[in-house]
Amino acid sequence: MNWQVLSSQVENKGISLDPRTKIFLLITISILVVGGEGSGIMIVIKPLTALIPFLLLLLIGKWRQAICFTFLFLILSLCELLILPAMGKSGFLLLFFCGLFGRLLPGVVMGYYTVHTTTVSEFIAAMERMHITHKLIIPLAVLFRFFPTVMEEYRNIGDAMRMRGIRIGGRKTSKMLEYRFIPMMICSVKIGEELSAASLTRGLGAPVKRTNICQIGFHKFDVFMILYGSLMLVLNLLRAIGLF
């Protein structure tokens, strides 16, 4: 997985969505797939909603990830609906596993798509157009840059440990936790402080309105995806009030 996400070097390929559309779809998927029931019309709504992130991955050329995620989601869903009910109480743990990961997977995929195709500038511009306070924008901007930087440091520490012969199955396996996680803890604190200082240096905390060179806006595909997600929410609302 490419950890260069939410940075100025991200190049969107294929059809690009507005960051606000991505956030709306992420919330919609979380409501319908993660929190929805598994009976009635939800048997149709959940797969149609879960289809969104897999389709978006295909549109940006991530067809391998899309196929893998789709295959895994189908396996988990089929196990939950067809196989596990016939097992009775003996399949409780497997049912919990399939139900949990089957519900979380579409949201995780949508989150991956959102982070992978959105730069920091686009994210900040979208938040400002939604009139979100800077008290929330600054921590989120720092947070989204924090994890890629930490993963890069983790790989560097791993390379250093392998050069010293510290690996699972080696003679120094017992020192693996000490030599990996203590540097990671120190680097994490330092990275957080540096990113916070960099955000403030770039004027994110200034009382004046910032300008932004990135261009965001709604296009035809944004409208289509918003209407599609809204339709799923309306169907779920009608089901909740007993019309389905």
Side-chain angles (χ1 to χ4, degrees):
M1 182 182 296
N2 183 10
W3 294 104
Q4 295 298 327
V5 293
L6 276 175
S7 63
S8 59
Q9 287 82 21
V10 174
E11 295 182 0
N12 295 331
K13 299 179 180 179
I15 299 177
S16 178
L17 290 175
D18 186 270
R20 291 165 289 182
T21 305
K22 300 173 188 176
I23 295 174
F24 170 76
L25 294 176
L26 183 59
I27 295 174
T28 300
I29 292 172
S30 300
I31 293 174
L32 298 179
V33 180
V34 179
E37 298 179 0
S39 60
I41 195 175
M42 290 303 296
I43 298 179
V44 178
I45 293 177
K46 287 179 62 176
L48 291 178
T49 307
L51 182 65
I52 295 175
F54 306 126
L55 174 63
L56 293 177
L57 284 181
L58 288 175
L59 292 177
I60 63 172
K62 299 290 183 179
W63 58 271
R64 290 184 179 179
Q65 291 87 335
I67 292 175
C68 292
F69 287 138
T70 303
F71 179 76
L72 181 58
F73 178 76
L74 289 176
I75 293 297
L76 294 174
S77 299
L78 291 175
C79 288
E80 182 182 0
L81 294 175
L82 302 178
I83 300 177
L84 295 178
M87 298 177 61
K89 296 182 180 180
S90 59
F92 174 76
L93 292 178
L94 186 59
L95 176 63
F96 174 78
F97 173 83
C98 293
L100 177 63
F101 287 94
R103 290 170 180 263
L104 292 179
L105 184 61
V108 172
V109 178
M110 187 64 208
Y112 167 74
Y113 169 83
T114 301
V115 171
H116 186 78
T117 59
T118 308
T119 65
V120 174
S121 297
E122 291 173 346
F123 174 78
I124 295 176
M127 292 293 101
E128 289 179 343
R129 291 195 183 184
M130 294 170 64
H131 304 287
I132 304 297
T133 176
H134 279 79
K135 295 180 181 179
L136 183 60
I137 295 177
I138 295 176
L140 288 177
V142 172
L143 178 66
F144 284 127
R145 288 299 302 136
F146 174 79
F147 288 107
T149 308
V150 167
M151 293 306 302
E152 183 178 356
E153 290 292 334
Y154 181 80
R155 290 201 306 269
N156 294 335
I157 293 173
D159 293 339
M161 294 302 99
R162 282 190 291 272
M163 291 176 60
R164 298 181 182 182
I166 302 175
R167 60 172 62 90
I168 297 177
R171 293 179 298 175
K172 301 179 182 179
T173 304
S174 60
K175 297 183 179 179
M176 187 173 178
L177 292 177
E178 177 184 355
Y179 288 175
R180 273 183 178 267
F181 286 98
I182 291 180
M184 277 300 303
M185 293 172 60
I186 298 174
C187 288
S188 298
V189 175
K190 184 177 180 181
I191 290 170
E193 294 176 351
E194 291 177 350
L195 289 176
S196 299
S199 300
L200 296 176
T201 302
R202 294 182 179 184
L204 289 182
V208 297
K209 183 178 181 179
R210 298 176 66 251
T211 58
N212 204 312
I213 62 173
C214 71
Q215 297 181 357
I216 62 173
F218 295 107
H219 301 88
K220 293 181 180 179
F221 192 62
D222 290 276
V223 176
F224 172 77
M225 295 306 300
I226 291 175
L227 291 176
Y228 184 88
S230 300
L231 176 61
M232 297 296 105
L233 289 174
V234 170
L235 291 176
N236 181 59
L237 179 61
L238 295 177
R239 178 203 60 83
I241 63 179
L243 295 182
F244 283 108

